Amino acid sequence: MLRALYSEHGGPLLGYVLRLTGGDRPQAEDVVQETLLRAWRHPEALAGRPVRPWLFTVARNLVVDAHRAKRARPQETGMDEHAMAAHAGTDDIDRALESWTVAEALAQLSPTHRAVLVETYYRGRSVAETAEELGIPPGTVKSRTYYALRALKLALEERGLAP
């Protein structure tokens, strides 16, 4: 059965999957193989219906699933352990430098803006809690937060950190 399916539908199915995969022949061949394997495992799905549309639908679903899975996974780097350790050290240094730069930018803000950002972002307080802590109305907390974030973004852009 599998040989007959492949000889009758294999060529057109491979051409269709090649178009779906952007010409990636190894991936297309894997999809065709998996599609035919599913047809062989589930002959009841083919009974009483045209075979080719079913095969094309299964192949399309496999390509879509593979694309989604690829997007959901982080990219593989191909670095060895030594390179990964060196890279991790660089990340720590970069994070420390960024923290230092953010602290400098915060210091550049007005005391009222800095206080609102410290309470809401660094201490994780809500607007109501921040208003109570600073002794100001909740609406003032919201507006100060808005303007403080704009001023912080500008200060970070001047230092080359923000887009």
Side-chain angles (χ1 to χ4, degrees):
M1 174 190 158
L2 191 58
R3 191 176 305 266
L5 274 176
Y6 182 76
S7 63
E8 186 176 345
H9 304 287
L13 185 60
L14 180 62
Y16 173 69
V17 176
L18 273 170
R19 285 190 301 278
L20 291 178
T21 60
D24 185 353
R25 190 166 184 92
Q27 182 186 5
E29 289 173 351
D30 288 346
V31 169
V32 168
Q33 182 179 4
E34 179 64 26
T35 301
L36 292 173
L37 187 61
R38 288 184 184 196
W40 179 67
R41 285 183 181 159
H42 302 285
E44 71 279 0
L46 302 175
R49 70 169 65 181
V51 175
R52 190 169 287 182
W54 186 88
L55 291 172
F56 278 49
T57 301
V58 169
R60 181 187 172 282
N61 291 342
L62 288 170
V63 170
V64 168
D65 289 347
H67 178 72
R68 287 179 180 158
K70 193 175 188 179
R71 282 190 3 223
R73 287 190 306 257
Q75 287 188 344
E76 297 176 7
T77 60
M79 290 193 289
D80 61 1
E81 288 181 29
H82 179 68
M84 286 174 48
H87 185 68
T90 304
D91 283 348
D92 291 341
I93 292 169
D94 288 343
R95 256 184 290 174
L97 289 173
E98 283 181 7
S99 296
W100 194 355
T101 306
V102 170
E104 287 177 343
L106 273 172
Q108 185 181 348
L109 298 180
S110 70
T112 55
H113 285 165
R114 185 173 41 253
V116 167
L117 289 182
V118 167
E119 294 299 322
T120 55
Y121 284 93
Y122 290 101
R123 293 195 177 131
R125 293 193 171 141
S126 68
V127 170
E129 292 169 337
T130 301
E132 186 177 321
E133 178 68 26
L134 298 177
I136 56 177
T140 303
V141 171
K142 291 178 185 179
S143 66
R144 281 188 190 169
T145 302
Y146 173 78
Y147 289 110
L149 287 173
R150 286 181 57 183
L152 181 62
K153 181 182 177 197
L154 183 61
L156 290 172
E157 284 175 347
E158 290 172 356
R159 289 167 173 76
L161 273 186

